[in-house]
Amino acid sequence: MIFNTLVVISIVVIHWYLWKRLVHNTTHPGLPRRIGTAIVIALGISMPMTLFGVRDGYFPWLYWPGYIWVAVMFYLLVTLTIVETPRWIRWAITRRSKTRTQEAPEKPDEERRLLLARGTAIFAGLTAASITGYGVKTAAGPPRINRFHMPMTKLPRRMDGIRLAVVSDIHIGPTTGAEHARRVTQVINSVNADIVCVVGDLVDGTVAQIGPFVAPLAGIQSRKGTYFVTGNHEYYTDYTEWIDEVAEFGMRPLRNERVELDGLDLAGVNDLDGEMYGDPADFALALGNRDMTRPVVLMAHQPVAAEEAAPYGVDLQVSGHTHGGQMVPFNLLVRLSQPVVSGFGNVDGVPVFVTNGAGSWGPPVRVGAPPQVTVIELRSA
């Protein structure tokens, strides 16, 4: 309740600021200002309907326009902040100087102020719309393949070059249709992986709602199996249904357990958020009492899980969850909660690779973080 209240207050403050900069400061009192005010109010009202209603299955018709506005609004704020920061600094310096000399501040020329405000509004609007359009095109395209070579001292020479296809955050939902799952399946199959690791946030909806949309994933091919661990979004519906469903599609759920694949151990833990739903991650169960001379790859949805995996001598953790930030510069905020946002990093001695994810959540927009299927080639070192 407190969180939702803070979100609503933030929406009001942001839209007041946008109204001030884009409507009030750019128009004279009259019909144009009233029209602009009505538009901003309507967009503001649509925000909680989108963020709360669409997520819970209400207002499905609002998904595209609502979330596109979320992205445009975000980039309007970013652009206005960048453009206006020098003006704020200049204003502060001028005000301080005038105060010291006790001179009255100069009254700005009204028409000049109006012209500058309109120029800023046009620039911010075009910039936000262009970035959002690019982001929509990127998010709607097929996942890109990125490759990474991981040396592993314990890996037997007979397994040198084994390939893991790592995919996360596919986010199949009521608005994606089955085509999204087909695109992801085609990209995974194109890399001829030995092992496919699906590291959570596969779906946004119940089996009854979107089961047919997920069905194309049954076509995923791999030499040594396809494995799945839960992400936080699986728990927003009936996660037990999805565990049974993905097994029907040929994926093996790793529920705080590990399997031996020739000279390699593959382990998986439930998502950290599963604890709130009575389905916690158990690192001791997945990683304890094993032969420490064998290398182990851990599938864990959130990169921060490496902090709990560190005592168990994990040779590589593969994760998702962050979407690579999804929309730059949002990646800077993601870094506050996750130690690695995208690509390779080290967390408490655990090598961690975080894939950007193959889908999107919230705005169907990706800027600076294209959708990915990651191919990790393990090399005997």
Side-chain angles (χ1 to χ4, degrees):
M1 183 62 182
I2 295 176
F3 174 77
N4 291 347
T5 301
L6 291 175
V7 169
V8 171
I9 292 173
S10 299
I11 289 171
V12 172
V13 171
I14 289 171
H15 283 77
W16 174 85
Y17 172 74
L18 293 179
W19 171 82
K20 183 76 173 175
R21 289 291 177 263
L22 304 181
V23 179
H24 180 271
N25 289 0
T26 62
T27 60
H28 295 293
L31 182 61
R33 180 177 290 183
R34 289 196 294 271
I35 294 174
T37 300
I39 292 173
V40 172
I41 291 174
L43 291 171
I45 293 173
S46 76
M47 283 281 290
M49 293 171 64
T50 300
L51 296 176
F52 303 131
V54 172
R55 180 194 65 183
D56 296 332
Y58 303 105
F59 319 119
W61 51 270
L62 195 57
Y63 174 83
W64 275 94
Y67 274 123
I68 292 299
W69 169 241
V70 171
V72 172
M73 182 201 71
F74 176 72
Y75 284 113
L76 278 172
L77 287 174
V78 171
T79 305
L80 287 171
T81 299
I82 294 172
V83 170
E84 295 198 328
T85 295
R87 183 177 67 83
W88 293 334
I89 295 173
R90 187 167 57 251
W91 175 83
I93 293 173
T94 303
R95 183 179 178 85
R96 184 177 182 184
S97 175
K98 295 294 183 182
T99 301
R100 283 182 175 179
T101 59
Q102 295 184 343
E103 295 180 17
E106 297 178 3
K107 186 177 181 179
D109 178 78
E110 182 63 21
E111 288 304 316
R112 180 173 179 273
R113 182 198 64 78
L114 194 65
L115 183 63
L116 288 174
R118 287 174 177 173
T120 299
I122 292 171
F123 175 77
L126 290 176
T127 300
S130 298
I131 293 175
T132 301
Y134 164 80
V136 170
K137 182 180 179 181
T138 301
R144 303 177 188 179
I145 299 170
N146 71 312
R147 300 179 184 273
F148 181 72
H149 286 195
M150 178 66 194
M152 196 170 284
T153 55
K154 298 178 185 176
L155 188 71
R157 288 201 173 275
R158 69 178 183 276
M159 299 193 73
D160 182 64
I162 188 171
R163 292 192 302 277
L164 279 62
V166 181
V167 62
S168 179
D169 304 282
I170 302 176
H171 286 291
I172 300 169
T175 61
T176 64
E179 183 57 32
H180 177 48
R182 273 193 286 269
R183 282 198 304 267
V184 173
T185 300
Q186 289 171 357
V187 173
I188 293 173
N189 289 344
S190 72
V191 304
N192 297 314
D194 295 291
I195 302 167
V196 175
C197 302
V198 182
V199 283
D201 280 9
L202 178 67
V203 292
D204 283 309
T206 65
V207 172
Q209 288 175 321
I210 61 172
F213 298 160
V214 183
L217 295 180
I220 291 177
Q221 299 171 1
S222 58
R223 294 183 180 86
K224 297 180 183 294
T226 299
Y227 299 87
F228 169 82
V229 293
T230 54
N232 52 303
H233 279 245
E234 271 72 53
Y235 294 100
Y236 300 158
T237 58
D238 187 342
Y239 70 93
T240 59
E241 281 190 346
W242 280 115
I243 290 167
D244 294 336
E245 188 75 3
V246 298
E248 291 291 325
F249 294 154
M251 300 183 195
R252 174 171 173 177
L254 292 180
R255 310 271 296 140
N256 297 323
E257 60 185 313
R258 67 178 180 272
V259 294
E260 295 183 0
L261 303 172
D262 295 334
L264 175 73
D265 288 348
L266 181 67
V269 291
N270 303 340
D271 183 62
L272 299 178
D273 285 6
E275 185 169 5
M276 295 184 291
Y277 301 86
D279 193 43
D282 190 330
F283 293 85
L285 187 60
L287 298 166
N289 300 319
R290 64 183 187 85
D291 183 352
M292 297 297 288
T293 65
R294 295 170 58 89
V296 61
V297 174
L298 173 66
M299 296 169 56
H301 180 63
Q302 298 188 43
V304 72
E307 295 175 358
E308 296 189 50
Y312 297 96
V314 172
D315 298 280
L316 174 65
Q317 175 178 306
V318 291
S319 298
H321 185 62
T322 66
H323 295 206
Q326 189 164 321
M327 301 193 312
V328 169
F330 190 71
N331 55 309
L332 301 178
L333 296 178
V334 176
R335 198 173 295 278
L336 298 176
S337 62
Q338 297 293 334
V340 184
V341 177
S342 180
F344 183 75
N346 190 291
V347 180
D348 292 350
V350 178
V352 178
F353 196 97
V354 180
T355 187
N356 283 356
S360 57
W361 182 77
V365 176
R366 277 185 172 269
V367 178
Q372 288 179 345
V373 169
T374 297
V375 180
I376 300 178
E377 187 172 311
L378 305 182
R379 304 308 305 260
S380 177

